[in-house]
Amino acid sequence: MCRTATNRNRWITPALWALMALMLAPGVVLAQEQVLLRLDSPIGESLTYRFEIHLDIAVPPMLGGSQRLETLMVVQQTTTDVRGDTLYFDATVREASFSLRSEAGGEMLPNVPEDLAGQSFRTAFTSQGEPVDIQIEGQSPEASAQIRSALRQAGFPTLPGGPVAVGDRWRDTIRIRAADMGMAAPGFLVLINDISLVRLSRSGSATIADLLVETTYDFEPEEGASSGLSVEVTGSRADNVRFDVTNGHFLSASGAQDFTMNMAVPGLGTSFSVQGSGESTALLIES
């Protein structure tokens, strides 16, 4: 009996050591661990992000033909204040360009400057990443709309209301004016995000959360828009997002999307369809 126990221990002890080594190894976090995902930035801290969007839009010839939307922004943000649950930033566009061109090569956004480098604006976000305010001075409404749209499409989702573990899910909703995405429709594209924590890992002394953002689309008509126009939007998008839990920063996001917008004027018997597909990326390039 004693010999059996001894022999069993000879097998169990290496197994236990292997399990402990796995638990303590760099890059591994137990799936049961709960973390609180929150933006955090001390006053004076400066972070620089690069955002890119490339979107191909198939539009009927009577509406201008197929279009290509390309957005690039490099934004440096500096934390100016933290009040309760709200973080305030002064931001500067270090590099920017917006282009919406038709299949024939014509520019579709003539009022938007080719380069907005040097533009400054102020933002405020809750620690869950919800935008409270974006103030842009000295720019045309078209340019301001493009900046706001690019920031909202950056791929950084709203963070959960409380601690989460691997496998937990939460939701948020984003409304973007359709015209800011090159869509000839009076209303808003509604992005319904289903977000999940898929992995926790270690990078040095920091805990990193990998999130999956799965998005479905809807359309919300603009108030006062003609009731004779019927709009239906279908499609999906998926983004992989990395968040530094320890330091309270988004690190990156990348994803792809496909959508179809069906529009009809029932009284006239006229209908047409707009399809779009593209990719977007966001990356912390300086901290």
Side-chain angles (χ1 to χ4, degrees):
M1 183 70 176
C2 183
R3 183 186 307 165
T4 302
T6 301
N7 289 340
R8 184 182 298 118
N9 286 339
R10 288 175 179 171
W11 288 103
I12 291 177
T13 300
L16 286 175
W17 276 110
L19 178 60
M20 291 176 64
L22 177 64
M23 292 168 58
L24 296 175
V28 177
V29 179
L30 288 180
Q32 293 85 354
E33 179 179 342
Q34 283 198 325
V35 292
L36 184 62
L37 309 181
R38 287 292 181 268
L39 293 180
D40 187 20
S41 183
I43 294 175
E45 182 179 57
S46 183
L47 303 174
T48 301
Y49 289 91
R50 179 186 179 91
F51 306 103
E52 288 190 71
I53 300 172
H54 302 278
L55 186 64
D56 290 304
I57 308 170
V59 181
M62 63 181 177
L63 296 177
S66 297
Q67 302 166 9
R68 171 78 170 180
L69 173 68
E70 296 185 340
T71 298
L72 165 67
M73 286 182 58
V74 176
V75 179
Q76 180 179 9
Q77 65 178 41
T78 301
T79 307
T80 58
D81 200 2
V82 179
R83 301 179 212 161
D85 191 47
T86 304
L87 293 80
Y88 297 83
F89 305 96
D90 278 349
T92 301
V93 180
R94 289 175 37 179
E95 183 180 351
S97 62
F98 302 100
S99 174
L100 179 62
R101 296 183 179 274
S102 68
E103 189 175 32
E107 180 62 58
M108 305 293 290
L109 292 174
N111 294 322
V112 178
E114 189 71 17
D115 190 353
L116 294 176
Q119 172 69 55
S120 296
F121 55 99
R122 295 178 179 177
T123 63
F125 288 83
T126 70
S127 61
Q128 284 183 249
E130 298 174 335
V132 176
D133 191 24
I134 299 176
Q135 299 179 8
I136 305 170
E137 298 180 357
Q139 284 295 335
S140 67
E142 293 85 358
S144 296
Q146 287 294 322
I147 293 176
R148 291 190 181 94
S149 178
L151 292 174
R152 294 302 283 136
Q153 295 178 69
F156 294 153
T158 299
L159 300 172
V164 289
V166 171
D168 287 346
R169 311 177 77 92
W170 61 98
R171 280 193 169 193
D172 76 345
T173 301
I174 297 174
R175 296 166 69 253
I176 301 172
R177 188 174 296 277
D180 296 340
M181 295 186 67
M183 301 179 189
F188 297 87
L189 184 65
V190 182
L191 284 64
I192 304 166
N193 297 323
D194 185 4
I195 310 152
S196 57
L197 175 57
V198 297
R199 183 172 181 261
L200 290 171
S201 60
R202 306 284 190 201
S203 178
S205 60
T207 297
I208 308 299
D210 286 282
L211 311 178
L212 174 62
V213 184
E214 298 173 293
T215 304
T216 55
Y217 296 119
D218 200 356
F219 186 80
E220 179 183 308
E222 190 170 4
E223 187 175 352
S226 172
S227 59
L229 181 64
S230 173
V231 180
E232 179 185 66
V233 177
T234 59
S236 63
R237 168 175 168 169
D239 288 275
N240 296 303
V241 179
R242 304 195 77 214
F243 183 78
D244 184 334
V245 181
T246 304
N247 296 298
H249 302 151
F250 283 105
L251 298 175
S252 65
S254 62
Q257 60 179 319
D258 291 280
F259 64 86
T260 298
M261 176 181 286
N262 296 311
M263 306 175 70
V265 185
L268 300 177
T270 301
S271 63
F272 53 89
S273 179
V274 175
Q275 287 93 31
S277 63
E279 302 82 35
S280 62
T281 61
L283 181 65
L284 176 63
I285 59 175
E286 291 182 16
S287 60

